[in-house]
Amino acid sequence: MTDTTQQTETTAPLTGKKVAFLATKGVEQVELTSPWEAVLAAGGTPSLVSLEKETVTAMKQDWEHGESFPVDLHVSEAKAEDFAGLVMPGGTLNADALRGDEDVLAFVRDFFAQHKPVAAICHAPWTLIDAGVVEGRELTSYASLKTDLKNAGATWVDKEVVVDSGLTTSRNPGDLDAFNAKLVEELAEGRHEGQSV
């Protein structure tokens, strides 16, 4: 008889991989929980990195308060080398707070410097702009970020998911199925030489 537990562990594409989820107050709840569940289902270990020290309260479509989620690590103590990749959920308040923090920007830049996969959805590419990592890259985002991204030197396209050398981006919660599939695929592939600062 086959041991299905062992079989699942050996076939799960993210087994042994720890994945950072970067979020703070105001994160769009489904953009945190859906990719988190996808990483877990693929055998990975998600970890919530935040500006907060205890919990993060999510939002539902920037209007309604959602659930609170426990923080695993404050961003000032987080190191990119401890993770296989980075997932950045959206939410207007979340992205606006993150992009103004120097520890956040250094943490994000380190994933690019180490050629590790990064996935950002909705408003999260705002933080990528401030980290200085979008110039010359093709990506998508929530539609209102289109001009900001173009001004930062990116090529913006209107597609449900865009992958550019380890950088995965999507527009909104409606794209989560495609986003989740690609972020798991990119995390499983590992480092991408084209992913750099």
Side-chain angles (χ1 to χ4, degrees):
M1 192 157 75
T2 309
D3 182 349
T4 54
T5 307
Q6 186 178 6
Q7 191 176 25
T8 303
E9 284 178 6
T10 55
T11 56
L14 300 186
T15 298
K17 293 185 184 254
K18 191 173 177 184
V19 181
F21 279 71
L22 180 60
T24 195
K25 291 185 289 188
V27 63
E28 177 64 44
Q29 182 163 313
V30 72
E31 292 174 359
L32 172 62
T33 59
S34 181
W36 185 283
E37 289 161 10
V39 167
L40 279 174
T45 304
S47 181
L48 183 55
V49 177
S50 182
L51 291 174
E52 304 302 314
K53 293 195 173 184
E54 294 180 10
T55 61
V56 166
T57 301
M59 299 287 281
K60 294 179 180 178
Q61 300 177 341
D62 290 335
W63 299 110
E64 296 176 35
H65 281 283
E67 296 171 49
S68 291
F69 300 90
V71 171
D72 295 303
L73 196 59
H74 190 269
V75 70
S76 64
E77 300 164 347
K79 294 184 173 95
E81 56 260 33
D82 295 335
F83 299 96
L86 174 65
V87 179
M88 301 171 65
T92 312
L93 299 174
N94 169 63
D96 198 44
L98 291 174
R99 69 180 179 156
D101 185 271
E102 285 305 319
D103 287 330
V104 166
L105 300 181
F107 184 59
V108 170
R109 275 192 292 267
D110 281 349
F111 281 91
F112 286 82
Q114 294 171 32
H115 311 292
K116 291 183 175 180
V118 174
I121 188 169
C122 202
H123 285 82
W126 255 347
T127 305
L128 298 178
I129 292 170
D130 284 85
V133 294
V134 300
E135 187 172 0
R137 306 299 292 270
E138 181 176 271
L139 66 163
T140 194
S141 67
Y142 195 72
S144 64
L145 276 64
K146 175 181 177 180
T147 301
D148 292 345
L149 285 160
K150 285 183 170 183
N151 287 342
T155 299
W156 188 91
V157 293
D158 186 13
K159 292 182 183 172
E160 66 176 359
V161 65
V162 176
V163 180
D164 180 345
S165 298
L167 174 59
T168 303
T169 52
S170 284
R171 301 168 300 188
N172 56 53
D175 298 334
L176 277 165
D177 286 346
F179 180 71
N180 292 345
K182 281 297 181 185
L183 78 86
V184 167
E185 182 182 318
E186 295 300 300
L187 286 164
E189 287 177 9
R191 296 176 190 270
H192 293 73
E193 284 310 308
Q195 179 81 307
S196 59
V197 179

